[in-house]
């Protein structure tokens, strides 16, 4: 009994910090993921503007990673479900959260590191530059990457600690089912007869017939 109480207290201590970190990480990943991920350095933009002002304006858009932003939104939504769910559903959603956050990390690492040269070549062709433009990770890239990593670590912890976490009471569940049957069984037989009589009158039936 004492061990169970200690586990419950430990669950209450870890619940808010883990979910809070996960939500903060998810918000950071979502905000950063919807902005420019790779951008041309300012010094190169200055030299490009001197040669071709029109090209420099087109190049200011940089490179976006839409998939990272979409997965970050999934991560954030999954954290909201983890916050209000319980039991197996909570643990399953924690696993889904970890998978979505890991997806954001993979997209950012692959797109920002391994495929950077390909993105630079594509951007150069788009703006009509004779040389391949250099690209560097933007602040949004690092914000999204760090946020996704924080959310990933928190989600893994949530999947492990969820069974010991406090849960919302059953009073928040939708009415019906066994609760309704229990409520009906608690009404005395005489009262139930009176209720049936009033219900019959309300429906327009004449009880004397």
């Amino acid at each position: 009994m004492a061990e169970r109480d200690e586990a419950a207290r430990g669950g209450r201590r870890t619940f808010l910090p883990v979910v809070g970190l996960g939500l903060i990480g998810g918000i950071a990943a979502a905000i950063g993921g919807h902005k420019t991920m790779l951008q041309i350095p300012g010094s190169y933009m200055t030299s490009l503007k001197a040669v071709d002002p029109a090209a420099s304006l087109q190049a200011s858009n940089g490179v976006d990673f839409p998939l990272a932003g979409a997965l970050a939104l999934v991560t954030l939504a999954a954290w909201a479900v983890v916050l209000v769910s319980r039991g197996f559903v909570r643990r399953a959603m924690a696993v889904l959260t970890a998978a979505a956050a890991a997806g954001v990390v993979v997209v950012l690492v692959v797109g920002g590191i391994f495929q950077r040269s390909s993105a630079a070549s594509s951007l150069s062709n788009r703006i009509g530059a004779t040389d391949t433009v250099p690209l560097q990770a933007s602040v949004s890239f690092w914000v999204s990457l760090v946020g996704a990593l924080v959310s990933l670590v928190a989600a893994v912890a949530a999947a492990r600690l969820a069974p010991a976490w406090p849960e919302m009471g059953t009073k928040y569940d939708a009415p019906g089912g066994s609760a309704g049957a229990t409520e009906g069984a608690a009404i005395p037989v005489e009262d139930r007869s009176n209720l049936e009589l009033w219900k019959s009158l309300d429906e327009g039936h004449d009880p004397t017939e």
Side-chain angles (χ1 to χ4, degrees):
M1 188 69 178
E3 293 180 357
R4 185 180 302 175
D5 293 340
E6 181 62 28
R9 286 193 294 269
R12 286 192 292 270
R13 286 195 299 266
T14 59
F15 176 65
L16 286 179
V18 171
V19 175
L21 281 176
L23 285 170
I24 292 172
I27 292 172
I31 292 176
H34 285 83
K35 298 183 181 296
T36 299
M37 295 283 97
L38 302 176
Q39 62 187 14
I40 299 175
S43 58
Y44 187 89
M45 290 285 290
T46 302
S47 62
L48 187 62
K49 183 177 180 180
V51 176
D52 188 353
S56 67
L57 291 175
Q58 295 174 16
S60 63
N61 293 327
V63 179
D64 301 332
F65 294 165
L67 182 57
L71 288 173
L73 289 179
V74 173
T75 303
L76 192 56
W79 271 118
V81 178
V82 171
L83 182 63
V84 300
S85 59
R86 60 177 182 263
F88 173 78
V89 174
R90 170 177 280 175
R91 199 163 196 177
M93 291 306 300
V95 173
L96 175 62
T97 306
V104 176
V105 174
V106 170
V107 170
L108 292 175
V109 170
V110 171
I113 298 176
F114 297 104
Q115 295 182 351
R116 183 182 300 188
S117 59
S118 176
S121 299
S122 177
L123 182 58
S124 299
N125 293 332
R126 193 176 76 205
I127 66 175
T130 56
D131 299 327
T132 301
V133 296
L135 288 176
Q136 64 181 14
S138 66
V139 174
S140 299
F141 175 90
W142 294 111
V143 169
S144 186
L145 180 59
V146 172
L149 286 172
V150 170
S151 191
L152 173 59
V153 173
V156 172
R160 178 176 175 273
L161 299 172
W165 281 355
E167 300 174 346
M168 293 178 63
T170 55
K171 66 179 181 179
Y172 297 103
D173 292 345
S178 60
T182 304
E183 183 179 351
I187 302 176
V189 177
E190 297 81 2
D191 292 342
R192 271 185 281 170
S193 299
N194 292 333
L195 288 173
E196 291 170 358
L197 176 62
W198 284 109
K199 183 178 180 181
S200 177
L201 290 171
D202 186 59
E203 293 174 352
H205 299 297
D206 186 352
T208 62
E209 294 180 353

